[in-house]
Amino acid sequence: MPTDLQISIEERIGFAEGTSFAAAGAYERLTGRVRFRVDPNDCGPNDCGPNDCGAPKIVDLDLAPRDGDGRVVFWADLCILKPVDSARGNGRLLFDYGNRGNKRCLQFFNDALVNNRPLSLADAGNGFLMRRGYSVVWLGWQGDLYPGDGRMLLEAPLASQGGAPITGKVRVEYTASEAGVRVFPLSGLAVARSYPTTSLDTGKARLTRRRYADSQRQEIPASDWAFARLEQSRAIDGVGLDEAIVASDSHIFLPGGFEQGWIYELIYEAKDPLVLGLGHLAVRDLVSFLKRESAENPLGRIEKAYAWGRSQTGRAIRDFVYLGFNVDAGADGQGGRVFDGVLPHVAGGGKMWLNHRFALPTILPGQEYENHEAPVDRFPFSYAHSTDHLTGREDAILKRPESDPLVIHTDSATEYWQRRASLVHTDSEGRDLPQPDGVRLYLWSSSQHYAAAGITQPTRGKALHLQNPVATSAFFRANLDNLDRWASEGKAPPPSRVPLVAEGSLVPVEHWRAQFPEIPGRVVPRAPSQLELLDYGPDFDTAGVITMHPPGRSGRHYPILVPQVDLDGQDLAGVHAPMVQAPLGTALGWNLRQPENGLGALLGITGAYLPFPFSDEEALQSGDPRRSVLARYPDAAAYVAAIRSHAESLAAEGLLLEEDVARAAAAAERWAASLPFAN
């Protein structure tokens, strides 16, 4: 059954200073809220699982408070950018999932600056989405966020047992990236609501620390820490600051400070879980509503709806589809598609930790170092049907042909090292796994998880090596055009381009290490982030409740493979951005931690950049086996010409727009100006 929803538009204002965008004309921004009312006794939300009537179960919905009609009520923020005259739009809706409540699609599709309140002409960037005529929609779907910085919020209800608090074990990790940190919110992040502890007695909790993810845990005595926060104010005499330690059921305080780079793990009894799975239902029913013409629909005619998300929200899309929320639960009962096509980016092999009791959707997913045991990477990993050889389960993310969307899934090289991306297109034993016809997979070769819209000079930050500067945002624009043609005209995008075991371009790390060049001063990873079959308790998949803390270990692992590299150390397979095809250095999907933060371990979702020697003399002096910059490009003009040529080849293949060829060449001119080419 559909949710009863009501849209309240609180502000309607002109966007981009009234600029007219091609055939779509001027745009406007609508902001407001959506009220949802759902009957917890309906088949879909409460009683049925994915293998019964086909409707997804929402964990703890039956334990949420109800209004006088017996409905569960919740609210979500709404923001829309649309043509002032809806009839001039292209009849397409692009839903930006909004990473942790933040609007992101204008940044990546339009090369605009980050802004959660887009309004000015600058916020339109290059105007791509507006020139195409899209209605862009954001909805608060994540119910554990605090307000601030214009984040989109979902007011998720608390679950309780007849008014009494629900309790359960919660496990959270904390890693201080700098010295002097003494307090963390229990959630680990200031933007995310913490599940309060049921007791301030630290003897009822367990705090440990360890050097690396697999190191032995060291117990921290209960007397050495507290459930507390710090408050500071200027001293009464005006000299220095007064500091107070205040008991708090939502903070952890370590008087001596969290040692920089160490992994601290807290296991405590928490209370008041949120019904976070309603985020999936909210997205489903809002988009379904917006696809139907009605007097209450602010968008008018919408023929196709697409979803885009990156990282956390790419995983949210995969979870949404896997759990069956892409089935339209509209009043007509036809059960068609909600999203006609989806574009999950840098999701790796993961899904969301959302539709579970005491879920922590804001935390970073499992990596080699951080949150290594977070339950986000669970079978099935692939869109294709396969068998988990460790458990005997058979499953797939796409398993409902009548409602499954078209999929263009993209990953950077980082996801193969940190986010187990090889499992997206291999079976659980590491063999190539052919994908359904409605799926395209692309590795954006030698790029990192986050890529700024414009080319920037690489910096080091907390990394051992310079960070990867490869720009890839132009691929988003071509992918969206390709997805629209696929959904609207049946014209399929270019074939998938990912590394394959059969071709020797997807290999165990030992084979990669044997091929990687002996670059002077290089330090390489020991291995990509491994994935062990973990036991989160018998109720995790059925009731959404974790009962094992920390999770039980099996000692059995899924094989994680990485892209093989060329003589420069760059990925052989995949889609090569112009900066990768015409390189000035080796761009990598991995980077390493500096000594104070865990030497030798992979650093978050950061790639690396190892510049080529500029001249043959430098190469000879340093012993660098890679060809020098001048051996590749005798002058700046030759470098720019190489970038342009490769951009033109990508455009001819349908992987880049013609308008982005000129942008790539202009960026190359700016980049070349910083190099010591002879005048």
Side-chain angles (χ1 to χ4, degrees), residues 59-61 63-65 157-161 164-166 272-275 357:
V59 172
D60 288 340
L61 180 59
L63 302 177
L158 290 176
S160 66
Q161 294 278 9
I166 294 174
D272 296 338
L274 297 162
V275 187
R357 182 177 292 175

Side-chain angles (χ1 to χ4, degrees), residues 76-131:
D77 292 337
L78 175 69
C79 183
I80 297 173
L81 290 179
K82 60 174 287 291
V84 173
D85 181 356
S86 296
R88 297 183 64 179
N90 66 354
R92 306 291 186 268
L93 178 159
L94 178 65
F95 185 83
D96 175 4
Y97 257 85
N99 190 297
R100 294 169 177 84
N102 297 301
K103 299 179 176 72
R104 285 289 180 261
C105 70
L106 296 183
Q107 176 189 4
F108 289 98
F109 285 89
N110 285 27
D111 293 345
L113 297 176
V114 177
N115 189 350
N116 279 340
R117 301 179 181 87
L119 189 62
S120 71
L121 180 59
D123 294 328
N126 61 38
F128 169 75
L129 291 173
M130 288 79 229
R131 288 184 280 118

